[in-house]
Amino acid sequence: MNSKWIYIALCTLSIGNHSFAQKKATSEQTIEKLLQRMTLQEKVQMIHANSSFATAGIPRLGIPPLIMSDGPHGVRVEHGNDWIVDKNVNDSGTYLPTGNTLAATWNKSLGYSFGTVLGKEAKYRGKDVILGPGINIIRTPLNGRNFEYLSEDPLLISKMVTGYIKGVQDQGISACVKHFAANNQEIQRTSINVQMSERALREIYLPGFKTAVTEAGVNTIMGAYNKFRGQWCSHNNYLLNQILKKEWGFKGIVISDWGAVHNTTEALMNGTDIEMGTDIGSPAFPYPQFYMADTVVKLVQNGQIAESIVNDKVRRILRIMNKTHMLGGKRIPGAYATKTHQQVAQKIAEEGIVLLKNERNLLPLTNTIQSIAVIGENAVRKNAMGGGSSQVKATYEITPLVGLQQQVPHNTTITYSKGYSIVRNATADTSLINEAVAAAKKADVAIIVGGWVHGYDYTKWSDNAYDAEDTDKPDMNMPFGQDALIKAVIQANPNTIVVLMGGGAIDMRQWIHQVPAIVQAWYPGMEGGTALARILLGKVNPSGKLPMSFPKQLSDCGAHKLGEYPSKNGEVRYNEDIFVGYRYYDTYGVTPQFAFGHGLSYTQFNISGLSLKKIGKQVMASVTIRNTGTMAGAEVIQLYVNEVKPVVKRPTKELKAFEKVFLAPGQQKQVQLLLPAEAFEYYSEPHKKFVHQPGQYWILAGNSSDKITAKAAIQL
Ligand code: GLC
């Protein structure tokens, strides 16, 4: 390249650098100029809702409204301004698998794909903020919203939520990580006061949110309904000002949950930036009377509140508007209900469905199977509109029955019988059971599709049942008499497969020893039936792993054994402390039904040859994994850390790294997993920070928390 072109290149580069810095300065200047041109009234109208899901814009200054929408696994059915909706609006879109299905893939890259679809669809639907992901820790199997959340483990949450948020925000849409913090039950969610140790807060309940802020750069965060240590989460000084904005340096927007603001001064002073939903369903409470509305104008005008308090909130809103090009600049077009999005939904379902048990290699069903008896109302039930605010009006939803009908070889006959009724308080129905038994007797295999349900009549918000917002499960018992059905069918046909839909663990003790094959299918989205059928028929090798433990019975669960639930005198104390999920079962010697990280494959893998190499305070682990079977598949290498002589009580093991590896039959790979310095720390309450205790540590490698196949010690 001759000197002339080099000169031009250098000029272009310098202009480039200059323009980047200049652009940043411009955006800050733009924001300040806008702020200076705003009246107090205009500023205040930006910090509270002016309809069900939006705040007001300022047209004269070119500031648009900030339009939000649920939910975590699809853009919610249109709600317009206060649910006044154009009947012709196209709001049938992609119903992605729910959060726990995504987490069950243990595939970090799928988090990004998931978020990309959500961001594109939100953009198409004219939204600026999508109200997800929900990442509260799965503390009890009873929480009605576990289906929306990801895991009992903070590292798995952190790794999956990063891709999700980046996927959404790379589409120019703001994600809204929720519900900050300690919203781990739905019972009494708008009144309960949560108490826990600082160590439990820092080691278990905050890391997912911290990662969302400091690594994923989330634009907005939603304050939870409950109280934490006596103060409402949506205006909690410790959580919002001290931790979120000061310690973590969060520059985005704190949005209250809908109706979660209760006090003007606290909301103004404790970090709430936008008040939403205070008037839920009661038009008698018009927007100007919100806590952060006309009252604020008066407080500033009479000098009780400094206008700088309001300015900071508006500055945050303008920054995020600027970051997502709402104040000018090129906005990426959206896309809606596309084939590609549906394929992503299917892929996530295929990688998230978990094969829990497979005796006699009953699965996958081979071509020798000529007849299948499909049993259970969950086989024909559509779930997209269920669960509460996370509802989605799906373009379509392939149920398990339809999936099987579409995927089986043409010469295979399929019968269907209801088996049980999804009706409030329904018990075992003898005639339905007899019909199912008769069908099972005549078939080569029986597939019972059971488990939990969202609700009964989705057109009614209040008609929630088990896996739904604003409600928790009463216990872990199978509803609608499913236990009796399963026991009767297995007697009639030993080749019976049980498929469980739903948000998590269910009590299997009455039949688990008789049933040879069990599949956990969660709420697998609009292509869930296709994905399930392809797994059952061996077109896809299952690779899902449980993102939460499945206890045998509720009383085995740490939160119920050591902790309080649902509450005592309006408070719930997390006495189990950091011992949540497998941290409890392993440390206290309680064997779960199925362990955290458990999931079978149709092929076999061997994880061996663990070696460790110190890199400063970090450790690079290297393992060899080989597909020793005859089918291509994927395995999740999980690395757990155990401190040999801790100075405080620590869990027997804690997940500190994982990697999903895809291998052809006979293929072998050397996989490296980095354990950062933080992997060897615990939170010291006396020091008020994470500390490292020098000593010996075991690194445990395996494909489940209860299947460790290699271990190595290291002195750190
Ligand atoms: C609900 C939920 C929250 C949702 C919001 C808006 O009560 O708690 O997750 O995003 O209100 O619907």
Side-chain angles (χ1 to χ4, degrees):
M1 183 194 284
N2 67 28
S3 57
K4 174 187 157 228
W5 286 114
I6 289 170
Y7 173 75
I8 289 170
L10 287 172
C11 285
T12 310
L13 189 65
S14 67
I15 290 168
N17 287 340
H18 172 71
S19 67
F20 174 75
Q22 207 266 339
K23 204 183 296 180
K24 188 144 175 43
T26 308
S27 66
E28 287 303 305
Q29 287 167 343
T30 306
I31 288 162
E32 289 313 314
K33 278 186 187 144
L34 275 175
L35 203 54
Q36 285 156 19
R37 294 173 60 197
M38 293 165 83
T39 65
L40 174 60
Q41 285 74 2
E42 288 171 331
K43 292 176 189 174
V44 169
Q45 73 183 44
M46 287 186 70
I47 65 173
H48 67 83
N50 78 330
S51 82
S52 47
F53 284 83
T55 57
I58 304 172
R60 77 177 183 88
L61 296 176
I63 298 173
L66 189 67
I67 299 174
M68 311 167 197
S69 174
D70 292 308
H73 47 262
V75 186
R76 190 175 183 184
V77 62
E78 190 50 59
H79 35 69
N81 277 0
D82 293 332
W83 303 94
I84 300 160
V85 183
D86 166 6
K87 290 284 172 257
N88 303 316
V89 70
N90 168 19
D91 61 351
S92 296
T94 300
Y95 164 45
L96 288 156
T98 53
N100 53 11
T101 319
L102 173 63
T105 70
W106 290 60
N107 185 335
K108 302 165 201 168
S109 67
L110 285 184
Y112 188 82
S113 308
F114 188 106
T116 301
V117 169
L118 198 52
K120 283 182 178 293
E121 301 225 342
K123 177 60 72 63
Y124 179 93
R125 286 274 303 278
K127 313 302 179 183
D128 305 307
V129 184
I130 190 78
L131 301 169
I135 65 164
N136 291 100
I137 287 282
I138 295 176
R139 171 184 182 245
T140 166
L142 303 186
N143 179 14
R145 289 183 89 167
N146 283 342
F147 73 96
E148 285 187 62
Y149 300 153
L150 301 181
S151 177
E152 68 191 31
D153 180 85
L155 182 91
L156 180 57
I157 293 170
S158 298
K159 296 300 179 189
M160 296 308 293
V161 83
T162 300
Y164 178 124
I165 291 168
K166 289 184 172 180
V168 168
Q169 299 192 163
D170 282 355
Q171 297 305 317
I173 294 291
S174 290
C176 181
V177 67
K178 66 187 187 181
H179 306 86
F180 192 62
N183 179 190
N184 307 100
Q185 64 189 65
E186 289 298 292
I187 285 187
Q188 302 161 22
R189 65 173 177 165
T190 58
S191 60
I192 197 92
N193 180 31
V194 177
Q195 298 282 13
M196 71 173 86
S197 73
E198 191 67 14
R199 185 175 173 211
L201 181 69
R202 298 287 184 157
E203 287 192 17
I204 304 294
Y205 292 91
L206 287 188
F209 290 102
K210 182 175 182 183
T211 302
V213 170
T214 59
E215 291 179 35
V218 73
N219 288 343
T220 78
I221 192 165
M222 187 185 291
Y225 278 124
N226 52 284
K227 286 181 181 176
F228 177 70
R229 293 180 185 162
Q231 199 167 55
W232 296 110
C233 283
S234 278
H235 33 82
N236 188 295
N237 186 51
Y238 184 58
L239 290 176
L240 301 181
N241 282 342
Q242 175 59 38
I243 295 177
L244 178 65
K245 295 184 176 180
K246 190 166 172 226
E247 274 184 44
W248 298 350
F250 180 60
K251 295 283 180 278
I253 309 168
V254 173
I255 300 171
S256 76
D257 202 337
W258 269 236
V261 169
H262 303 276
N263 179 296
T264 296
T265 307
E266 281 197 13
L268 287 171
M269 304 310 290
N270 293 352
T272 320
D273 298 308
I274 296 182
E275 174 190 5
M276 295 302 293
T278 302
D279 72 326
I280 290 181
S282 55
F285 200 97
Y287 299 107
Q289 293 176 37
F290 269 36
Y291 293 98
M292 291 171 73
D294 290 2
T295 308
V296 175
V297 175
K298 293 190 191 87
L299 288 171
V300 172
Q301 284 170 338
N302 65 26
Q304 284 174 276
I305 289 283
E307 188 159 354
S308 60
I309 295 290
V310 176
N311 289 349
D312 175 64
K313 302 176 195 297
V314 177
R315 197 173 283 123
R316 287 171 177 273
I317 298 167
L318 292 174
R319 270 208 194 99
I320 296 305
M321 286 184 162
N322 194 53
K323 181 180 173 185
T324 54
H325 309 300
M326 290 174 66
L327 299 178
K330 188 169 167 301
R331 295 196 83 181
I332 310 168
Y336 197 60
T338 66
K339 185 71 189 151
T340 306
H341 293 178
Q342 292 147 10
Q343 288 166 340
V344 170
Q346 181 176 326
K347 173 76 178 148
I348 292 165
E350 288 177 353
E351 285 203 36
I353 288 171
V354 183
L355 178 58
L356 292 174
K357 184 178 180 184
N358 190 23
E359 272 171 0
R360 299 186 272 114
N361 289 323
L362 181 58
L363 289 173
L365 303 177
T366 62
N367 290 344
T368 56
I369 302 293
Q370 303 291 313
S371 55
I372 301 173
V374 178
I375 300 162
E377 193 172 345
N378 259 347
V380 298
R381 191 162 183 86
K382 296 189 175 180
N383 295 301
M385 282 295 282
S389 62
S390 62
Q391 64 186 182
V392 181
K393 191 197 286 182
T395 312
Y396 61 84
E397 184 176 349
I398 306 292
T399 62
L401 178 62
V402 169
L404 282 162
Q405 288 167 335
Q406 290 176 343
Q407 297 288 329
V408 292
H410 65 277
N411 60 342
T412 303
T413 58
I414 290 181
T415 61
Y416 171 71
S417 50
K418 195 175 180 183
Y420 57 86
S421 293
I422 298 176
V423 170
R424 198 181 293 278
N425 303 324
T427 55
D429 180 319
T430 310
S431 61
L432 290 177
I433 290 175
N434 291 342
E435 181 197 13
V437 165
K441 270 190 182 132
K442 285 184 278 186
D444 292 336
V445 295
I447 299 175
I448 302 174
V449 186
W452 298 115
V453 295
H454 278 316
Y456 304 102
D457 175 353
Y458 298 147
T459 59
K460 295 194 203 91
W461 172 272
S462 59
D463 210 9
N464 286 328
Y466 300 94
D467 283 326
E469 184 171 346
D470 220 8
T471 186
D472 280 358
K473 303 176 183 76
D475 48 47
M476 275 178 54
N477 303 330
M478 291 195 101
F480 319 125
Q482 293 178 68
D483 285 316
L485 168 72
I486 294 169
K487 286 189 284 187
V489 168
I490 189 70
Q491 291 307 315
N493 186 332
N495 296 333
T496 292
I497 297 134
V498 170
V499 175
L500 297 170
M501 311 298 285
I506 202 162
D507 188 335
M508 308 180 199
R509 285 176 297 163
Q510 290 190 41
W511 44 266
I512 186 159
H513 298 302
Q514 290 77 35
V515 171
I518 306 170
V519 176
Q520 176 66 31
W522 315 109
Y523 293 111
M526 66 197 300
E527 284 287 359
T530 307
L532 176 64
R534 284 166 51 82
I535 283 172
L536 295 175
L537 297 166
K539 298 177 181 179
V540 167
N541 191 349
S543 61
K545 300 282 181 179
L546 289 182
M548 82 285 285
S549 312
F550 277 16
K552 287 177 181 164
Q553 57 196 337
L554 189 62
S555 57
D556 285 355
C557 173
H560 297 264
K561 195 90 173 177
L562 303 179
E564 291 175 353
Y565 174 87
S567 68
K568 270 187 192 155
N569 309 319
E571 282 205 342
V572 58
R573 295 179 181 283
Y574 292 6
N575 299 324
E576 74 281 8
D577 204 67
I578 60 169
F579 299 97
V580 176
Y582 72 93
R583 286 173 166 83
Y584 172 76
Y585 300 120
D586 284 355
T587 309
Y588 285 79
V590 176
T591 306
Q593 194 68 70
F594 293 105
F596 171 80
H598 170 78
L600 302 177
S601 171
Y602 293 149
T603 187
Q604 292 74 43
F605 297 93
N606 180 272
I607 295 173
S608 61
L610 174 62
S611 65
L612 306 175
K613 186 174 172 229
K614 272 190 212 173
I615 305 171
K617 292 183 177 178
Q618 304 180 108
V619 174
M620 183 62 83
S622 174
V623 289
T624 302
I625 181 167
R626 182 182 179 79
N627 179 345
T628 57
T630 56
M631 188 174 176
E635 182 58 283
V636 178
I637 300 169
Q638 301 163 39
L639 284 192
Y640 295 85
V641 170
N642 160 270
E643 184 178 359
V644 176
K645 288 198 178 108
V647 294
V648 292
K649 186 175 171 67
R650 294 194 71 179
T652 306
K653 64 169 90 76
E654 296 182 280
L655 181 73
K656 294 297 180 184
F658 66 89
E659 202 62 49
K660 189 165 198 174
V661 184
F662 292 79
L663 294 169
Q667 189 183 3
Q668 174 171 299
K669 272 184 189 169
Q670 192 89 21
V671 181
Q672 299 207 310
L673 301 98
L674 182 67
L675 291 163
E678 297 75 30
F680 304 94
E681 295 177 343
Y682 71 93
Y683 187 81
S684 164
E685 294 187 351
H687 297 88
K688 296 188 188 308
K689 63 179 183 176
F690 280 88
V691 298
H692 169 71
Q693 174 67 28
Q696 187 173 37
Y697 293 82
W698 281 109
I699 310 302
L700 311 167
N703 69 347
S704 174
S705 62
D706 67 344
K707 293 189 189 68
I708 300 301
T709 53
K711 70 181 207 177
I714 191 159
Q715 195 73 18
L716 277 175

